[in-house]
C-alpha cells in the first residue's frame, strides 16, 4: 500500500484524475470552456474509479474524502455548475467519510457542501437550499476554534447565505443575523486580505437590508461608509462597481429618510463611479444599470437634459449587452422617449 493507504493502482488512477482536473482548471483560466469541460469529464471518470477502488480496498476515510472532494470539483467544472446534483452527492459522501476522523478535513468538506447548496439556490431559487447551506455552515463553525484562520471564511459564507435569505423575505431577525455574522467576519479579516472589499460589500448590503426590514437609520450611515471603503479599496473593478451601485441605493434611501438633497448629489456621483468601474470590468449590464439609476437621480436634481444623456448611454449599453428586452431596459427606453419629447 502507498499514498497513505491506497494501492499503487489506486494512487495512479487518482493522480491521473487530479492531473486532468488541474489541466481543466488551467483551461478555465484561459476561457477555453469546451476544453475545460472535456478534461473535467475525463478527470471525473478517473476520480470516480479511484473512489470505487479506495472503497473496495478499505482505504483510510481521509484519503477517500480527499478523492471525493476532487471528484466534486471535477463534476462542477464538467457541468459548469458548482451546485449540480452529482457535486452535492460527492460532497455529502465526503462529509460522512470523515465524521469521526479528521476535524479539519470535515470542516473543509462541510464548507464545500454549504457553498454547493448556495450555488444550487442561485440556479433553482429553492429556499430549502439556503436553509441547508445555513445549517451546514453552522455545523462547520462549531468545529473550529475562535482563532482558526478558516473561521472568517465560514462567517463570511454563512453571512452571505443569511443575506440571500433576507433578500427573499427572511425579515428583520434574519437580516440582523446576517449583519452579526458579516461584522464578525470583517473583524477577523486583515487589511491586506484579498477578499476584504468583497466582505465589506456584503456587510454593507446586510446593513441596508436590515434597515429595510425595520432597522435603525444608523444602519444606513454605517452602510454608506463601509460601501465607500469597499468601492475605493477593491482590487477587482466588478467588486468596485457593485459597491458603488449599492452605495447609490443607500444614499437614495438616506435622501428619502432625511429629506436632505445633498444625499441625491452623492448618489448621482456614486452611480457615475459605478459606470466607470463597470466599463473597466467589461460589464456592460452593470454599467447600463448604473447609467439608468444616475439618470433617475439627475431627473430630480439636474433636469431632463442631463438625465437624458445618462438614459441614452444606458440604452446603448443594454443593446450592446443583448438585454434590450429586459424590464429595466424597457424602463430606460420609456424614460428616454418621454424626456426626448420634452427637450
Amino acid at each position: 500500500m502507498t499514498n497513505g493507504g491506497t494501492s499503487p493502482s489506486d494512487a495512479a488512477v487518482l493522480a491521473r484524475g487530479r492531473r486532468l482536473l488541474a489541466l481543466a482548471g488551467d483551461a478555465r483560466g484561459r476561457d477555453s470552456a469546451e476544453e475545460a469541460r472535456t478534461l473535467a469529464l475525463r478527470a471525473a471518470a478517473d476520480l470516480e474509479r479511484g473512489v470505487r477502488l479506495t472503497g473496495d480496498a478499505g482505504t483510510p476515510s481521509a484519503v477517500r474524502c480527499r478523492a471525493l472532494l476532487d471528484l466534486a470539483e471535477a463534476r462542477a467544472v464538467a457541468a459548469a455548475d458548482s451546485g449540480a446534483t452529482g457535486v452535492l452527492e460527492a460532497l455529502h459522501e465526503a462529509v460522512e467519510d470523515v465524521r469521526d476522523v479528521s476535524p479539519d478535513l470535515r470542516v473543509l468538506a462541510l464548507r464545500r457542501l454549504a457553498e454547493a447548496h448556495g450555488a444550487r439556490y442561485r440556479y433553482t431559487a429553492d429556499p430549502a437550499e439556503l436553509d441547508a447551506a445555513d445549517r451546514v455552515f453552522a455545523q462547520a463553525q462549531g468545529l473550529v476554534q475562535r482563532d482558526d484562520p478558516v473561521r472568517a471564511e465560514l462567517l463570511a459564507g454563512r453571512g452571505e447565505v443569511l443575506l440571500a435569505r433576507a433578500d427573499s423575505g427572511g425579515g428583520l431577525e434574519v437580516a440582523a443575523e446576517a449583519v452579526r455574522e458579516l461584522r464578525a467576519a470583517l473583524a477577523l479579516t486583515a487589511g491586506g486580505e484579498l477578499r476584504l472589499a468583497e466582505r465589506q460589500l456584503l456587510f454593507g448590503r446586510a446593513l441596508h437590508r436590515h434597515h429595510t426590514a425595520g432597522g435603525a437609520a444608523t444602519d444606513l450611515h454605517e452602510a454608506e461608509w463601509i460601501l465607500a471603503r469597499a468601492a475605493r479599496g477593491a482590487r477587482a473593478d466588478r467588486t468596485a462597481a457593485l459597491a458603488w451601485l449599492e452605495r447609490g441605493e443607500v444614499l437614495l434611501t438616506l435622501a428619502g429618510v432625511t429629506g436632505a438633497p445633498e444625499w441625491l448629489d452623492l448618489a448621482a456621483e456614486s452611480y457615475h463611479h459605478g459606470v466607470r468601474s463597470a466599463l473597466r470590468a467589461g460589464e456592460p449590464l452593470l454599467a447600463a444599470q448604473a447609467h439608468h439609476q444616475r439618470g433617475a437621480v439627475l431627473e430630480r436634481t439636474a433636469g431632463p437634459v442631463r438625465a437624458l444623456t445618462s438614459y441614452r448611454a444606458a440604452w446603448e449599453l443594454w443593446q450592446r449587452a443583448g438585454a434590450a428586452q429586459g424590464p429595466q431596459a424597457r424602463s430606460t427606453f420609456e424614460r428616454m422617449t418621454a424626456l426626448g419629447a420634452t427637450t
Side-chain angles (χ1 to χ4, degrees), residues 220-244:
L220 295 175
H221 292 282
E222 187 176 7
E224 188 277 324
W225 176 78
I226 199 68
L227 288 166
R229 294 195 66 179
R232 294 188 177 106
R235 302 188 187 189
D237 287 320
R238 187 175 190 277
T239 301
L242 291 169
W244 286 123

Side-chain angles (χ1 to χ4, degrees), residues 68-320:
L68 284 161
L69 292 176
D70 289 333
L71 174 58
E73 184 179 352
R75 287 176 173 175
V77 176
D81 179 7
S82 55
T85 300
V87 175
L88 286 165
E89 289 173 351
L91 291 172
H92 275 291
E93 197 172 346
V95 167
E96 290 305 311
D97 266 19
V98 287
R99 178 174 293 277
D100 301 312
V101 178
S102 170
D104 289 346
L105 196 53
R106 183 167 167 79
V107 167
L108 174 60
L110 285 167
R111 190 182 83 200
R112 292 272 304 277
L113 178 59
E115 291 168 349
H117 278 296
R120 192 169 181 83
Y121 168 76
R122 289 190 288 275
Y123 181 76
T124 65
D126 182 355
E129 299 295 344
L130 288 180
D131 294 340
D134 187 9
R135 184 172 60 252
V136 176
F137 268 125
Q139 281 183 280
Q141 285 181 16
L143 296 173
V144 300
Q145 301 297 319
R146 290 193 173 275
D147 59 350
D148 191 319
V150 80
R151 187 169 184 80
E153 296 179 21
L154 297 173
L155 287 164
R158 184 166 184 242
E160 188 172 7
V161 167
L162 289 164
L163 180 54
R165 288 180 61 193
D167 281 338
S168 61
L172 183 62
E173 184 177 344
V174 172
E177 196 170 1
V179 168
R180 285 194 296 271
E181 293 287 290
L182 290 165
R183 191 187 297 279
L186 273 180
L188 295 174
T189 304
E193 167 67 53
L194 287 172
R195 288 159 292 188
L196 175 61
E198 293 175 11
R199 291 174 185 173
Q200 289 172 328
L201 169 59
L202 289 172
F203 181 50
R205 282 179 176 162
L207 288 165
H208 192 190
R209 303 306 181 272
H210 188 254
H211 175 268
T212 301
T218 52
D219 290 330
L220 295 175
H221 292 282
E222 187 176 7
E224 188 277 324
W225 176 78
I226 199 68
L227 288 166
R229 294 195 66 179
R232 294 188 177 106
R235 302 188 187 189
D237 287 320
R238 187 175 190 277
T239 301
L242 291 169
W244 286 123
L245 265 68
E246 187 72 36
R247 179 174 177 262
E249 293 299 307
V250 169
L251 290 163
L252 286 179
T253 307
L254 276 167
V257 168
T258 65
E262 58 266 25
W263 295 117
L264 292 175
D265 293 332
L266 288 171
E269 180 186 40
S270 195
Y271 288 129
H272 176 65
H273 287 306
V275 168
R276 296 174 65 183
S277 294
L279 290 175
R280 284 196 300 270
E283 295 276 357
L285 285 176
L286 275 180
Q289 291 170 28
H291 261 309
H292 176 92
Q293 293 299 100
R294 185 167 185 262
V297 176
L298 291 176
E299 276 197 74
R300 300 167 62 182
T301 63
V305 174
R306 288 189 62 193
L308 184 57
T309 300
S310 263
Y311 284 133
R312 282 173 173 163
W315 178 243
E316 181 182 339
L317 287 162
W318 291 125
Q319 290 177 299
R320 187 194 307 176

